[in-house]
Amino acid sequence: MKKIGLHEIRKEFLDFFREKEHLVAPSFSLVPKNDKSLLLIGAGMAPLKKYFTGEQTPPNKRMATCQKCIRTGDIDNVGKTDRHATFFEMLGNFSFGDYFKKEATAWAWEFLNKRMEIPEENLWVTIYEDDDEAFEIWNKDVGVSAERIVRLGKEDNFWELEVGPSGPCSEIYVDRGQKHGCGCPDCKPGCECDRFIEVWNLVFTQFDKDEKGVYHPLPKPNIDTGMGLERITCVMEGAKTIFDIEAIREILRKVEEVAEVDYGKDPKKDESIRVITDHTRAMTFLVSDGVLPSNEGRGYVLRRLIRRAARHGKLLGIEKAFLSSVVEVLINSWQIEYPDLKTREEQIKKIIKAEEDKFQETIHQGLSILEGYIEEIKNKDAKVLSGEKAFKLYDTYGFPLDLTKEILEEKSLEVDEEEFNRNMEEQRNRARRAREEGDSGWSSNSEEDIFGNLKTIFRGYEKINIVSEVTGLFSNNEKVESLTVDEEGIIILNESPFYGESGGQLGDTGIIESSNFKAKVLDTKHSGEHLIHIIKIIEGEARVGDKVIANVDENRRNSIRRNHSATHLLHRALKDVLGEHVNQAGSIVMPNRLRFDFTHFEGVTQEELKEIEKIVNSKILDSLEVVTIETSLTKAQEMGVVGLFEDKYKDEVRVLKIGNYSQELCGGTHVFNTANIGMFKIVSESSIASGVRRIEAITGEAVYNYLNQVENEIDEIAIMLKANKNNLLDKVKVLTEDIKDKEKEIESLKGKMASSIADKILSMKVEIEGISLIAEKVDNLDMNGLRNLGDEIRNRLGTGVVVLGSVKNDKLSFIAMVTKDLTNKGIHAGNIIKEVAGRTGGGGGGKPDMAQAGGKDITKIGEALAIVPDLIRSQIK
């Protein structure tokens, strides 16, 4: 056999099928595109599914890929065995109605036997027990001896779903030799021992299974094959497990280096090393493909992987954040096939480190509490942690249930998951009720009950005023025939230019009027399929059937348009500056400003904000044409359009295209040219949730007003500072230096005053049972001043007790200090201060050598200090 490594095998495979006229496509993202049935890509054929079903036309009838894959079903077993992994790469060649069994089998054999030079006698084949066609091809065409072709049943060698494409499989095995076997003379593929390792699965998709379980032959059968890159590398390198493959061993060695432990000497440490080695690959590729840590979906998968790896680092004795250094080794190796890893290296490491640091903050507290729970369980001779306590760990301290389970399992304990899930559901219900109580919806009844079949044609993309007809009037959720002056209600029109609030864009306002009435439109909303105008009658009486003119407030609409188009420019600029992982997490578009929420793992720096703002304004100055295209969702997805919340879109969608810079799905109203936006200004950036940031910004006239306000404030400051506004900065620098000098002078004077006060107070020293004591009232000092004075007196006293009290701004404060030599004799500052403050109705405490407290009744300060001698006597005794 060739001595060849993982990266070389990948290249050999793809080159081989390129020679066989296959289109070699780069690996698809781990995040499924346009497939809500999958959380993450877990098989080589998954991104090509719609080519197999005929929903989409493939770019070529023959394709080959090396696909990144993640499977998390066995995540709890990763590390415990040397076989399980979350991340792997799947080599595959595919035919969409082109070649079939003869070519697929011949090429698979050629690659393994000729290119990889695996001896013919070491290769075995399995087929579906009824697939005589496959037997004939393997035996007669390929030349595999009948003794090395094994027939297996449906469970092993038939691929199918409940309905749809299906067919028999043929698997190729490598014989690793008798030393790996069970000793049975008839040992062959299908045996449970480790002698035969399956490396390549060829699926012959030749049937279409219907709902009754009948298999109908496909007119154009397909080929779908998969060969695990790590598994074939084990064969070629003679590696015992995937963790012994040289490329993966590089990562493992880095873990050994950071942890200062050797792999193979301690089973428990080996488990942790395997977890970190495996999870590093998975987390790196997930982040590279735009996934961010979160508490839901694929973001939770990533968070779990990072936190699980970080915890196993702690089990190895690694106290600092370390994962980014391990990630670096992977990137340097895998960039040969995935150059994006190197391009995004700093971003990948920053995201992983940010999550690791976040976990470091919570794990100590969570572990401490969990250890207390474990102790309680053991004391009760029980085996189960209550779901309520597990939920408290999760909800209050951010401690994942999976981690709780894993730690408990190590102690042969478990958690009541059913009770945990009940607590989780109760929390969701509370949140849902809170949302419903705060909902400004018109009624809990369905819109069909209220508005029936009254539909409105929206004309607001083209016009802001039209002639229309009143088709429905409603008041207090009831249908009415008329609305009169000062009444509020709902008008429904057969056609409307008013945009109903949706997609983050506020609804339009304006005027609806006829010869009989005039109504102010307070808001426009969607209620299900209905467009409702919330109005107040300001003249006359509105009746069903009235012909009206509907006028949108044009200035307000234009302001909203500017802000909405700016959000699309902002979204693209955020991706340009911060990375492709940025995605919209919500927005609101108002007349006076816009708010844009987005996924990002850390705060945006001032430099980054300036660059983002600069990009948006440059696109405004470029006067890019803004156009909308109505098309099918499928076509839009094929165009590569960004869909922010794709599950909300219907089959027919609107694509907003801003020059060649941005194209996204959007149903809102927009400017016709970016020049119409005028100018863009970011006014704030902040965090609103873990992994979610918020930018607030303004455009157009609002920027003009903002700049005027800033200029007015600068003028006022210049007048106050008696400076020319052109050299205001120089003036501020001079004043700042002057203030610093004054502060130094003040501190010097304070020191002299404290020394003077200390001299006076030291003269009042008394002796109590041979112990020097100062217990005095001091005028007008806060707690900080008291501490500084106490330190000065104690240092000069040498040995003794200092108790001081002071009132400043009607706030009573006490401090007590005891020199170290006296704490050994039983004098305790914390106990003294507790009694002293208690005499005034206050409280406090502290250590034996220093304590502080607050009082309440300032008239009792003298009485409180007077008890100190007796307290010292009692402590000495």
Side-chain angles (χ1 to χ4, degrees):
M1 287 192 299
K2 273 187 178 180
K3 288 299 178 185
I4 185 171
L6 180 141
H7 297 309
E8 294 77 20
I9 293 171
R10 185 198 296 114
K11 183 177 185 305
E12 286 268 6
F13 179 89
L14 297 176
D15 285 348
F16 177 83
F17 280 99
R18 190 178 280 111
E19 292 166 14
K20 304 297 183 187
E21 299 178 349
H22 286 63
L23 170 66
V24 174
S27 174
F28 293 87
S29 170
L30 285 167
V31 178
K33 187 178 180 183
N34 310 327
D35 188 349
K36 298 184 185 69
S37 67
L38 297 175
L39 185 67
L40 292 163
I41 295 298
M45 62 76 63
L48 311 173
K49 191 162 61 175
K50 293 189 177 181
Y51 298 153
F52 283 110
T53 61
E55 294 174 66
Q56 293 181 3
T57 303
N60 197 63
K61 287 188 175 181
R62 299 179 180 185
M63 289 182 70
T65 62
C66 179
Q67 176 61 45
K68 301 171 291 189
C69 299
I70 280 188
R71 292 181 186 171
T72 58
D74 287 329
I75 192 170
D76 293 324
N77 288 320
V78 173
K80 293 177 184 176
T81 74
D82 52 18
R83 300 189 318 277
H84 288 92
T86 51
F87 178 87
F88 61 96
E89 293 178 80
M90 185 66 78
L91 301 167
N93 59 290
F94 310 94
S95 166
F96 309 107
D98 187 36
Y99 62 83
F100 199 46
K101 290 182 186 179
K102 280 191 177 183
E103 295 85 350
T105 52
W107 291 336
W109 190 266
E110 181 184 348
F111 180 77
L112 292 175
N113 181 232
K114 304 299 182 189
R115 287 291 180 94
M116 295 292 100
E117 299 175 8
I118 301 175
E120 186 174 323
E121 60 271 19
N122 289 357
L123 292 171
W124 287 62
V125 173
T126 66
I127 60 171
Y128 176 51
E129 58 190 355
D130 295 337
D131 194 355
D132 295 331
E133 180 189 15
F135 179 87
E136 289 296 316
I137 291 172
W138 279 116
N139 183 235
K140 299 287 174 52
D141 296 346
V142 179
V144 182
S145 65
E147 295 77 22
R148 285 186 288 109
I149 302 174
V150 180
R151 293 178 185 262
L152 295 176
K154 202 169 188 179
E155 185 177 335
D156 295 298
N157 278 70
F158 198 93
W159 181 85
E160 63 181 337
L161 301 171
E162 288 187 14
V163 294
S166 58
C169 306
S170 195
E171 297 178 332
I172 305 174
Y173 285 75
V174 175
D175 183 357
R176 302 169 71 198
Q178 292 183 2
K179 63 181 180 180
H180 295 282
C182 58
C184 175
D186 193 35
C187 185
K188 58 187 175 184
C191 180
E192 294 297 320
C193 72
D194 293 331
R195 176 173 175 177
F196 295 92
I197 180 171
E198 180 246 315
V199 293
W200 205 338
N201 185 18
L202 317 178
V203 180
F204 310 130
T205 313
Q206 61 191 80
F207 300 116
D208 183 12
K209 181 184 175 185
D210 66 21
E211 293 176 354
K212 295 179 181 178
V214 179
Y215 298 95
H216 304 280
L218 287 169
K220 288 187 176 181
N222 303 314
I223 289 293
D224 163 21
T225 84
M227 175 162 60
L229 177 57
E230 292 82 0
R231 188 171 291 192
I232 187 62
T233 305
C234 281
V235 171
M236 303 311 297
E237 288 189 358
K240 186 179 177 183
T241 74
I242 60 171
F243 295 98
D244 298 305
I245 294 170
E246 181 53 34
I248 296 176
R249 194 79 184 189
E250 284 181 34
I251 305 169
L252 189 146
R253 281 196 287 268
K254 182 62 178 181
V255 180
E256 288 180 298
E257 177 192 319
V258 175
E260 298 181 351
V261 296
D262 294 326
Y263 186 67
K265 292 187 175 180
D266 181 332
K268 291 304 292 180
K269 289 182 178 178
D270 289 352
E271 179 180 327
S272 293
I273 291 171
R274 285 193 293 267
V275 167
I276 298 166
T277 300
D278 169 79
H279 288 8
T280 295
R281 291 210 298 161
M283 69 177 75
T284 302
F285 280 100
L286 278 170
V287 174
S288 179
D289 283 347
V291 179
L292 288 178
S294 71
N295 285 330
E296 294 181 339
R298 56 185 71 97
Y300 179 69
V301 171
L302 174 59
R303 171 161 285 170
R304 186 180 175 193
L305 290 168
I306 295 173
R307 294 190 169 193
R308 192 167 188 259
R311 177 177 172 265
H312 277 276
K314 288 205 168 294
L315 294 178
L316 291 173
I318 306 172
E319 290 301 324
K320 59 183 180 181
F322 70 97
L323 290 174
S324 57
S325 66
V326 184
V327 164
E328 194 172 302
V329 175
L330 179 138
I331 289 174
N332 288 337
S333 179
W334 262 259
Q335 65 171 315
I336 189 171
E337 177 64 20
Y338 305 101
D340 282 353
L341 289 177
K342 197 65 181 175
T343 304
R344 300 169 185 165
E345 179 175 9
E346 288 309 308
Q347 185 184 83
I348 292 168
K349 291 195 294 188
K350 281 171 70 177
I351 291 171
I352 290 172
K353 186 177 186 304
E355 180 62 23
E356 189 179 7
D357 287 343
K358 194 177 296 181
F359 185 50
Q360 298 278 13
E361 294 170 10
T362 62
I363 191 169
H364 293 295
Q365 190 173 14
L367 277 174
S368 175
I369 293 166
L370 181 55
E371 284 165 7
Y373 289 162
I374 290 171
E375 195 64 33
E376 286 177 20
I377 294 171
K378 288 183 174 178
N379 290 339
K380 294 177 183 176
D381 201 23
K383 290 287 183 183
V384 181
L385 174 69
S386 76
E388 184 180 356
K389 287 180 175 176
F391 181 75
K392 182 180 179 182
L393 272 172
Y394 164 79
D395 193 42
T396 307
Y397 304 103
F399 213 70
L401 176 64
D402 302 300
L403 188 53
T404 300
K405 286 167 61 180
E406 190 171 317
I407 294 170
L408 289 171
E409 191 178 316
E410 290 167 4
K411 311 282 186 183
S412 301
L413 303 172
E414 56 186 90
V415 65
D416 186 341
E417 283 193 69
E418 191 175 322
E419 186 182 10
F420 176 91
N421 291 331
R422 280 202 304 273
N423 276 267
M424 181 69 84
E425 187 57 33
E426 285 171 12
Q427 186 197 56
R428 290 191 185 113
N429 289 337
R430 284 194 296 271
R432 193 179 299 119
R433 284 196 296 271
R435 285 196 302 271
E436 288 171 355
E437 287 165 8
D439 189 1
S440 59
W442 283 86
S443 171
S444 59
N445 298 333
S446 75
E447 62 274 1
E448 290 301 327
D449 291 340
I450 302 171
F451 305 119
N453 60 357
L454 297 175
K455 306 296 185 197
T456 304
I457 300 171
F458 177 61
R459 301 293 189 193
Y461 291 129
E462 309 89 20
K463 300 177 180 179
I464 59 168
N465 54 70
I466 63 169
V467 175
S468 188
E469 180 181 338
V470 177
T471 56
L473 292 171
F474 298 85
S475 178
N476 297 319
N477 303 318
E478 297 290 338
K479 190 172 185 179
V480 295
E481 289 301 314
S482 66
L483 290 171
T484 58
V485 173
D486 292 334
E487 279 193 296
E488 291 189 13
I490 291 173
I491 283 182
I492 294 185
L493 305 175
N494 65 337
E495 295 184 343
S496 174
F498 288 86
Y499 182 85
E501 180 179 347
S502 63
Q505 178 176 329
L506 292 190
D508 282 330
T509 61
I511 298 291
I512 297 174
E513 60 184 328
S514 73
S515 56
N516 299 323
F517 77 95
K518 185 176 184 180
K520 185 175 183 180
V521 178
L522 307 174
D523 199 358
T524 311
K525 293 182 178 292
H526 283 286
S527 180
E529 295 294 315
H530 304 89
L531 186 65
I532 62 173
H533 308 82
I534 301 163
I535 56 92
K536 181 176 182 179
I537 305 294
I538 53 179
E539 290 179 16
E541 180 180 13
R543 302 188 66 84
V544 174
D546 281 350
K547 302 292 183 184
V548 298
I549 297 174
N551 287 294
V552 173
D553 182 332
E554 186 173 6
N555 288 336
R556 184 175 181 277
R557 163 73 80 85
N558 287 338
S559 295
I560 289 174
R561 280 175 171 169
R562 285 191 288 269
N563 285 334
H564 201 159
S565 297
T567 63
H568 289 261
L569 292 175
L570 173 61
H571 190 194
R572 184 63 256 173
L574 283 165
K575 286 178 176 284
D576 289 346
V577 175
L578 304 180
E580 286 296 327
H581 66 278
V582 169
N583 281 305
Q584 183 174 344
S587 71
I588 184 165
V589 183
M590 297 167 276
N592 60 330
R593 64 189 171 97
L594 65 92
R595 192 176 76 198
F596 191 82
D597 300 338
F598 58 98
T599 54
H600 189 50
F601 56 93
E602 63 181 356
V604 186
T605 67
Q606 283 302 311
E607 290 73 20
E608 288 169 335
L609 286 173
K610 285 177 182 176
E611 181 62 22
I612 291 161
E613 192 175 85
K614 181 180 176 183
I615 290 171
V616 174
N617 280 304
S618 72
K619 300 306 173 187
I620 292 170
L621 291 172
D622 286 344
S623 301
L624 301 178
E625 187 181 12
V626 180
V627 297
T628 52
I629 304 165
E630 293 188 2
T631 185
S632 68
L633 181 59
T634 303
K635 289 269 182 68
Q637 290 163 343
E638 288 173 358
M639 291 164 60
V641 171
V642 175
L644 305 182
F645 308 103
E646 289 182 5
D647 56 330
K648 294 184 180 179
Y649 290 102
K650 299 179 182 178
D651 291 337
E652 292 299 313
V653 295
R654 289 173 65 86
V655 175
L656 182 79
K657 196 168 183 296
I658 304 179
N660 292 320
Y661 184 63
S662 167
Q663 54 178 9
E664 297 181 347
L665 297 179
C666 185
T669 60
H670 291 274
V671 298
F672 301 107
N673 188 292
T674 57
N676 301 140
I677 298 172
M679 192 175 180
F680 173 83
K681 179 68 183 171
I682 294 172
V683 293
S684 71
E685 188 276 339
S686 61
S687 170
I688 60 166
S690 177
V692 182
R693 311 291 303 179
R694 171 172 292 170
I695 279 178
E696 298 204 20
I698 51 179
T699 64
E701 189 178 356
V703 179
Y704 173 75
N705 294 335
Y706 172 84
L707 294 175
N708 272 342
Q709 180 185 343
V710 170
E711 189 169 6
N712 290 338
E713 289 174 359
I714 290 172
D715 288 340
E716 287 182 27
I717 292 169
I719 292 169
M720 290 171 65
L721 297 180
K722 297 178 181 178
N724 187 315
K725 70 178 181 181
N726 294 324
N727 62 2
L728 194 58
L729 188 60
D730 293 333
K731 179 73 173 181
V732 170
K733 285 178 180 177
V734 170
L735 286 172
T736 302
E737 290 301 317
D738 191 37
I739 289 168
K740 285 180 181 178
D741 291 339
K742 293 284 192 294
E743 285 175 346
K744 286 179 184 177
E745 189 177 336
I746 289 167
E747 287 302 313
S748 175
L749 289 170
K750 280 183 178 179
K752 290 176 182 177
M753 287 174 64
S755 181
S756 174
I757 294 170
D759 287 339
K760 181 179 178 182
I761 292 175
L762 279 164
S763 68
M764 299 176 183
K765 178 181 72 174
V766 297
E767 297 290 324
I768 305 296
E769 304 287 339
I771 294 173
S772 297
L773 167 66
I774 289 175
E776 294 295 331
K777 175 187 173 185
V778 188
D779 292 332
N780 206 32
L781 287 181
D782 59 14
M783 187 64 77
N784 190 50
L786 273 183
R787 279 197 301 268
N788 292 336
L789 180 60
D791 284 335
E792 171 83 9
I793 294 170
R794 180 173 58 176
N795 292 339
R796 290 170 62 179
L797 196 59
T799 177
V801 178
V802 180
V803 182
L804 302 175
S806 185
V807 178
K808 183 173 182 179
N809 299 327
D810 292 327
K811 186 176 181 180
L812 177 55
S813 304
F814 292 103
I815 60 107
M817 294 180 174
V818 179
T819 55
K820 291 287 185 184
D821 60 313
L822 296 179
T823 60
N824 296 330
K825 294 183 179 180
I827 309 298
H828 194 290
N831 295 337
I832 292 173
I833 209 73
K834 184 178 180 181
E835 295 291 335
V836 170
R839 284 299 177 101
T840 68
K847 300 176 183 177
D849 61 331
M850 193 276 175
Q852 64 186 48
K856 290 185 177 178
D857 189 344
I858 61 176
T859 65
K860 294 185 177 181
I861 184 172
E863 179 185 327
L865 291 169
I867 69 172
V868 176
D870 288 338
L871 291 174
I872 290 176
R873 291 188 187 97
S874 66
Q875 288 189 5
I876 293 172
K877 292 175 184 177

